[in-house]
Amino acid sequence: MTSGITPAFDGTAGVDLTGRTAMVTGAGSGIGRACATAFAAAGALVHVVDIDKESAEAVAEEIGGRAHVVDLARPDSVEELPAEVDVLVNNAGFQHVAPLTEFPPERFELIQKVMVHAPFLLLRRTLPHMYARGWGRVVNISSVHGLRASAFKAGYVTAKHALEGLSKVAALEGAPYGVTSNCINPGYVRTPLVEQQIAAQAAAHGIDPEQVVSEVMLSRSAIKRMIRPEEVAAVALWICGPHTGYITGSSLPLDGGWTAA
Ligand code: NAD
């Protein structure tokens, strides 16, 4: 291909967030870290929010952002976070795998606190600034499990479906103020969250970890590979770019065809 016709992908795909402030929750690892890195590369000041002090500080230092060490399961933790942000990426989350009859109620509640209640509180906190500036982007890292269920993931599937609803309400209320809200719905991404599931399933079924990936995790995806965190981050950044202002209340599946079947 002739250079000049197709510009090389520079990690920001032409999105310029100079002068903008982004807040990414769960930015110490995986998808959140990739999002924080991409937003910083596009020129944004990034607030790196995570419960894990070491990783939050390391990522913040790496990208020239600001670390905030908070446990998002605590409702008052949100008050320690900045309200003046133009881009909010609700990403922090975790998984618990158990049948409904054995699902620990306290784990179910904790998942809803971190993955639904905290995004709600963060919207309440940050939307007034976005409304005042007449521009804002809410990017909710949902999952294919915001659109489809899997057995043994009651807490997670419930939380992701709730996040879908919250995102749509934010889209309706934000529209008059230039604020969009969307969900991104990845299939399996090879991050520490998934590495733990691979190890647990390998032990449970007595099979090789790579067999878990190919026979269990990728069984419903037409594309037989996991998606990389950077690919998710590239879409999160794209939503904040100059050509996507009409996309709101949407859910963008990055699922290799899982929900097409
Ligand atoms: P990860 O485990 O690599 O990162 C999650 C981060 O969230 C960690 O740094 C963790 O410390 C932080 N976190 C967890 N609980 C927190 C709390 N109470 N307060 C503050 N921070 C907290 O996981 P990941 O795979 O990058 O997942 C990120 C998001 O992407 C999650 O919402 C997850 O549901 C979603 N997702 C992941 C996949 C996947 O396959 N990995 C697929 C679809 C969606």
Side-chain angles (χ1 to χ4, degrees):
M1 211 167 280
T2 320
S3 66
I5 295 174
T6 305
F9 179 64
D10 63 0
T12 63
V15 179
D16 183 4
L17 294 179
T18 307
R20 303 280 190 204
T21 299
M23 179 152 67
V24 183
T25 68
S29 171
I31 295 169
R33 179 188 178 149
C35 287
T37 304
F39 283 101
L45 168 67
V46 181
H47 293 291
V48 175
V49 178
D50 208 288
I51 194 172
D52 188 275
K53 185 173 190 294
E54 202 177 318
S55 59
E57 288 175 353
V59 172
E61 188 174 340
E62 196 176 291
I63 66 170
R66 303 216 177 119
H68 302 267
V69 181
V70 297
D71 177 1
L72 289 168
R74 283 195 301 108
D76 57 358
S77 70
V78 168
E79 282 149 37
E80 295 164 33
L81 298 173
E84 293 79 25
V85 304
D86 307 301
V87 177
L88 170 65
V89 182
N90 282 314
N91 167 79
F94 59 96
Q95 180 63 276
H96 188 94
V97 179
L100 262 171
T101 49
E102 290 162 27
F103 210 97
E106 62 284 2
R107 289 295 282 176
F108 187 91
E109 194 181 344
L110 187 63
I111 290 177
Q112 312 315 312
K113 278 185 180 163
V114 175
M115 293 165 61
V116 183
H117 199 212
F120 159 70
L121 293 174
L122 284 166
L123 281 167
R124 282 189 91 235
R125 184 155 178 80
T126 59
L127 283 176
H129 170 83
M130 298 187 209
Y131 289 177
R133 281 194 92 184
W135 190 92
R137 294 289 176 265
V138 179
V139 182
N140 297 301
I141 306 299
S142 177
S143 164
V144 72
H145 286 113
L147 306 171
R148 295 288 185 275
S150 285
F152 312 126
K153 295 185 177 176
Y156 188 90
V157 171
T158 302
K160 291 303 189 187
H161 276 68
L163 184 63
E164 297 278 326
L166 180 65
S167 179
K168 287 174 189 162
V169 173
L172 299 185
E173 294 188 15
Y177 305 98
V179 175
T180 70
S181 172
N182 292 286
C183 285
I184 298 180
N185 303 73
Y188 284 107
V189 190
R190 200 145 192 168
T191 64
L193 182 146
V194 160
E195 292 293 350
Q196 284 166 15
Q197 286 182 63
I198 296 172
Q201 297 228 22
H205 299 293
I207 58 174
D208 185 69
E210 286 317 307
Q211 255 178 300
V212 173
V213 173
S214 60
E215 290 170 22
V216 182
M217 293 186 160
L218 296 179
S219 63
R220 284 178 283 182
S221 172
I223 300 176
K224 299 297 180 192
R225 70 166 176 87
M226 289 197 185
I227 181 168
R228 288 180 294 116
E230 294 74 21
E231 293 176 277
V232 180
V235 174
L237 188 57
W238 172 74
I239 287 177
C240 302
H243 306 301
T244 47
Y246 206 69
I247 302 178
T248 196
S250 296
S251 303
L252 304 172
L254 305 183
D255 63 359
W258 181 327
T259 54

